[in-house]
Amino acid sequence: MLLRNLLNSPQAQWRSIIGRLESVVGKDGVVRRKDELLTYECDGITGYRQRPALVVLPRTTEQVAAIVKICHENEIPWVARGAGTGLSGGALPLENGVLIVTARMKQILEVDLENQRVIVQPGVINNWVTQAVSGAGFYYAPDPSSQIICSIGGNVAENSGGVHCLKYGVTTNHVLGLKLVIPDGSTIDVGGPVQEMPGYDLTGLFVGSEGTLGIATEITLRILKVPESICVLLADFTSIEAAGQSVADIISAGIIPAGMEIMDNLSINAVEDVVATGCYPRDADSILLVELDGLAVEVEANKKRVAEICTKNGARSLTSASDAETRYKLWKGRKAAFAAAGKVSANYFVQDGVIPRTQLVQVLQQINRLSEQYGYRVANVFHAGDGNLHPLILYDNKIAGAWEEVEELGGEILKLCVKAGGSLSGEHGIGVDKNCYMPEMFNEVDLETMQYIRSCFNPKGLANPGKMFPTPRTCGEAANARKMEEFKEAELF
């Protein structure tokens, strides 16, 4: 078997594999120099780093299938990576594995306005989809804060959300169909051109599977018509509890905004230092951004009701904007909040937990308590409407032991979310960052059932091993890891 040869002569076998990969994607499509591989050693969560053995850059479905087949035949583990903006370590490479990067797969293959859908390759940037259809009055709803750099393939893998997920849902609500390369190198199509298809919902199963079931090489997305009217309101409060209560009261009033976001004082000042919108009062304890859309008469009525609710809860001032330029200005700071945190701290660690809206005030108080207990500042920026928290833990990685303490603090916040009736992730995924906390949310039978599903697609455990699920890993993965350990010291290049 080829693996025996690999163990007996790792250098020669890797050279053979490199030659086969180069025959698929060309010499410029295989990255193997150690200094160049450093570019791919982590995703957006830089606390976890690992240089891969090889990076391969395909352009087509056929090339992806050929690469995966080579890995399958040689029992080489592989990880798929898009733009590398993930925040859970989902695209963390393996030391003796292949990293399949879809950045060159950036074509919008079809735009079908009549049926409100587009077909894209996984390397297409999120914001490109809206740009491609905006002239005809359409847009793509899921809008992560990183939408100008994150790719659709990564959005599918992590089931990304964004500001507008409250009303319009996350990525899975906007994916109609997928062309997939599964871990044995076969190509299959799931879903289809319409919202509802007969049979098992394999599209829904794949979205959010974090690369453990295969790679999406063509993605059919649903696009929406731009609403007749859009209005954004900004309210500032002297307490974050008042902002949280306003969120609950708005939903209780039967109003479903397109998005509702809260930022605390630390985030407000970080944003104003960097972006200088001039919109966010620096002395406010928190601000609430509410976007309303729909028919003009509906938006106007809801605008008045939201203003009344915020005022009742102690809002000091209210700003509203209906024109595109001013709306963009109001949102600009929120979209830049993660980047702005880098201005006030040498490093920061973003968590992603979900809680019921009714628990918002209590959980934020507990996060503040944990912040004081561990001695690290926590900036709170989150999708308030659906309870998706994004606490940013500020720290300095140059201080010995800081990263370990920050990891522990992040874990305590996640446990707090689960105990409050929420979940470990709303859109960033589990990856390697949260896999050890899965038993906090799922029992052994739950986790075993998930493993059954993964094993159906990925029986050898080669597709993104070590992600999503806690250790000990499956027997197949553990055995494969032992085999790969035997030749990991080989000097290949």
Side-chain angles (χ1 to χ4, degrees), residues 1-6 13 16-17 20-21 24 65-78 182-186 460 462 480 483:
M1 187 174 175
L2 215 45
L3 181 60
R4 292 196 190 97
N5 295 334
L6 189 62
Q13 189 54 44
S16 172
I17 291 167
R20 292 183 65 186
L21 292 172
V24 173
I67 294 163
V68 171
K69 194 170 187 63
I70 291 169
C71 291
H72 177 75
E73 291 171 351
N74 291 277
E75 297 187 16
I76 298 173
W78 53 268
I182 56 177
D184 67 354
S186 301
K460 291 187 176 183
L462 298 176
N480 183 65
K483 293 173 184 175

Side-chain angles (χ1 to χ4, degrees), residues 75-152:
E75 297 187 16
I76 298 173
W78 53 268
V79 175
R81 171 188 166 115
T85 60
L87 291 168
S88 64
L92 183 72
L94 300 160
E95 183 179 8
N96 291 293
V98 171
L99 189 66
I100 303 173
V101 178
T102 59
R104 290 183 173 180
M105 302 178 72
K106 54 185 180 182
Q107 294 183 44
I108 296 178
L109 301 172
E110 181 182 341
V111 176
D112 182 358
L113 296 178
E114 290 184 350
N115 291 298
Q116 295 188 214
R117 62 189 182 218
V118 297
I119 301 176
V120 304
Q121 289 186 307
V124 168
I125 300 302
N126 177 288
N127 200 40
W128 292 359
V129 181
T130 292
Q131 290 176 357
V133 298
S134 61
F138 291 89
Y139 74 109
Y140 178 60
D143 57 343
S145 294
S146 58
Q147 69 181 132
I148 61 172
I149 52 173
C150 66
S151 61
I152 294 296

Side-chain angles (χ1 to χ4, degrees), residues 266 270 274 338-349 376-377 379 392-397 406:
L266 184 54
V274 174
F338 286 8
K343 180 72 173 179
V344 297
S345 177
N347 304 94
Y348 66 87
F349 178 43
Y376 292 95
R377 292 184 297 166
L392 288 83
I393 306 171
L394 310 182
Y395 72 104
D396 187 346
N397 201 38
V406 164

Side-chain angles (χ1 to χ4, degrees), residues 281-333:
R282 285 181 176 270
D283 62 339
D285 184 75
S286 62
I287 62 168
L288 171 64
L289 283 160
V290 182
E291 181 168 301
L292 303 165
D293 67 3
L295 298 174
V297 64
E298 174 191 14
V299 169
E300 187 59 31
N302 286 339
K303 173 184 170 181
K304 292 178 180 177
R305 187 73 183 105
V306 168
E308 290 171 357
I309 290 170
C310 291
T311 300
K312 183 194 72 174
N313 283 301
R316 300 186 311 172
S317 64
L318 288 163
T319 302
S320 67
S322 297
D323 64 287
E325 183 178 349
T326 311
R327 292 201 318 266
Y328 171 78
K329 189 175 181 181
L330 290 178
W331 277 119
K332 185 179 179 181

Side-chain angles (χ1 to χ4, degrees), residues 128-428:
W128 292 359
V129 181
T130 292
Q131 290 176 357
V133 298
S134 61
F138 291 89
Y139 74 109
Y140 178 60
D143 57 343
S145 294
S146 58
Q147 69 181 132
I148 61 172
I149 52 173
C150 66
S151 61
I152 294 296
N155 292 171
V156 169
E158 306 298 336
N159 195 19
S160 302
V163 167
H164 292 99
C165 61
L166 171 60
K167 184 174 183 178
Y168 295 105
V170 291
T171 298
T172 191
N173 304 111
H174 300 270
V175 176
L176 299 174
L178 298 162
K179 184 178 289 294
L180 305 175
V181 173
I182 56 177
D184 67 354
S186 301
T187 303
I188 62 173
D189 292 287
V190 300
V194 295
Q195 190 73 31
E196 299 296 335
M197 297 289 289
Y200 293 119
D201 182 16
L202 296 181
T203 304
L205 179 66
F206 187 87
V207 177
S209 61
E210 301 190 27
T212 61
L213 306 182
I215 303 177
T217 59
E218 293 184 16
I219 304 157
T220 303
L221 300 172
R222 182 169 66 106
I223 53 175
L224 304 177
K225 193 71 176 173
V226 174
E228 177 182 290
S229 177
I230 305 173
C231 177
V232 176
L233 291 92
L234 185 153
D236 69 279
F237 297 86
T238 56
S239 74
I240 201 165
E241 291 82 5
Q245 187 59 51
S246 296
V247 170
D249 291 348
I250 289 168
I251 299 296
S252 296
I255 300 169
I256 306 296
M260 280 198 291
E261 305 284 311
I262 287 178
M263 295 171 60
D264 67 8
N265 181 263
L266 184 54
S267 302
I268 291 168
N269 281 281
V271 163
E272 286 298 329
D273 286 343
V274 174
V275 184
T277 68
C279 301
Y280 302 169
R282 285 181 176 270
D283 62 339
D285 184 75
S286 62
I287 62 168
L288 171 64
L289 283 160
V290 182
E291 181 168 301
L292 303 165
D293 67 3
L295 298 174
V297 64
E298 174 191 14
V299 169
E300 187 59 31
N302 286 339
K303 173 184 170 181
K304 292 178 180 177
R305 187 73 183 105
V306 168
E308 290 171 357
I309 290 170
C310 291
T311 300
K312 183 194 72 174
N313 283 301
R316 300 186 311 172
S317 64
L318 288 163
T319 302
S320 67
S322 297
D323 64 287
E325 183 178 349
T326 311
R327 292 201 318 266
Y328 171 78
K329 189 175 181 181
L330 290 178
W331 277 119
K332 185 179 179 181
R334 168 59 186 92
K335 290 285 188 178
F338 286 8
K343 180 72 173 179
V344 297
S345 177
N347 304 94
Y348 66 87
F349 178 43
V350 183
Q351 267 303 356
D352 164 48
V354 182
I355 59 171
R357 284 187 298 267
T358 54
Q359 297 294 310
L360 189 59
V361 172
Q362 296 90 328
V363 169
L364 289 174
Q365 290 173 342
Q366 289 299 309
I367 290 175
N368 287 335
R369 182 187 62 78
L370 288 169
S371 172
E372 293 174 0
Q373 176 184 332
Y374 279 84
Y376 292 95
R377 292 184 297 166
V378 178
N380 288 292
V381 182
F382 52 95
H383 308 313
D386 59 349
N388 189 185
L389 306 182
H390 293 315
L392 288 83
I393 306 171
L394 310 182
Y395 72 104
D396 187 346
N397 201 38
K398 293 179 182 178
I399 299 175
W403 169 246
E404 290 75 16
E405 291 178 346
V406 164
E407 274 191 301
E408 184 178 332
L409 171 54
E412 290 302 314
I413 291 174
L414 291 176
K415 292 177 185 178
L416 178 62
C417 290
V418 173
K419 288 178 182 177
S423 78
L424 296 171
S425 176
E427 55 175 335
H428 294 175

